[in-house]
Amino acid sequence: MGTIARRHYRIALTGRSARRLSEPPFLIRHPRSDDRDRLAELMLDSYIGTIDYEGEGIDEAEAEIDDYLAGSPMLGCSWVAEDAELLLAAVLVSQWDERPLFGYVMTRAAAKGHGVAATLVEKSIDSLRAEGWETVDAFITSGNTPSERLFARAGARLVD
C-alpha cells in the first residue's frame, strides 16, 4: 500500500460563538462502546470509493474502531447521527499530543451531501469549547475535497 499524504489543520475554538443548528431529522447522540460493530460498518461504507480507501475490509475497519476505543477517545465530544438504528454519520474525537483531534469523520454514502457531518462537526466543536479546549486538530488526506471544504467551513486553517 502506498503512503497517503495528509495535511494538518487546526480550528481555533476561543472567541467563537456557538452556531445555532436547526433540529435535524435524525437522532444525534454520543457514541458508545457498544456501537463498535456499527461504527466499523459505517467506516467501511463511508470510505469505499474515496481517496482514503485502500481496499480495506470489515476486519480492518473493526481494528480501526477497536484502536480508537482503546486509545484516548473523547466520547463526550464525539457524536453519531442515527436514523432507525442505522448510523448515518459519526465524528470521533480523541486526544492526541495533549489536545483534541478529529480522528474520524464518516458519513454513509447515501447520506453524503446532506449536512449530516457538518452538524456533527459543529456539535463536537461546541462540546470541546464547553470543556475549555482552545483548539482542535484534524489531518485530512490531500485531495479529499469534501473534507477540506467541510473543515474550511468550520474555520480550519492549514498548520503546515
Side-chain angles (χ1 to χ4, degrees), residues 6-135:
R6 291 190 173 85
R7 300 179 78 185
H8 185 182
Y9 291 84
R10 181 165 293 145
I11 299 172
L13 305 177
T14 54
R16 177 189 176 107
S17 59
R19 293 188 181 169
R20 182 143 172 89
L21 301 172
S22 60
E23 194 63 33
F26 43 81
L27 173 70
I28 296 177
R29 64 172 175 79
H30 296 291
R32 305 177 303 256
S33 58
D34 67 342
D35 287 322
R36 181 247 191 200
D37 293 343
R38 294 188 315 147
L39 285 167
E41 187 275 328
L42 171 64
M43 176 180 279
L44 190 58
D45 182 89
S46 135
Y47 289 172
I48 287 177
T50 71
I51 196 169
D52 288 310
Y53 184 65
E54 295 185 314
E56 302 90 346
I58 193 64
D59 291 339
E60 289 86 0
E62 289 171 346
E64 285 282 324
I65 296 301
D66 288 342
D67 288 347
Y68 168 76
L69 292 170
S72 301
M74 297 178 70
L75 297 179
C77 296
S78 300
W79 296 89
V80 297
E82 183 176 46
D83 185 25
E85 296 298 315
L86 184 67
L87 293 184
L88 301 175
V91 171
L92 303 179
V93 180
S94 60
Q95 198 160 353
W96 169 77
D97 199 24
E98 300 192 26
R99 68 175 149 259
L101 171 75
F102 282 107
Y104 299 96
V105 177
M106 306 175 278
T107 305
R108 185 168 300 283
K112 290 182 180 183
H114 297 284
V116 182
T119 297
L120 298 183
V121 166
E122 286 301 325
K123 293 282 288 179
S124 289
I125 287 170
D126 290 347
S127 299
L128 290 162
R129 198 170 27 81
E131 285 193 8
W133 292 99
E134 294 182 3
T135 62

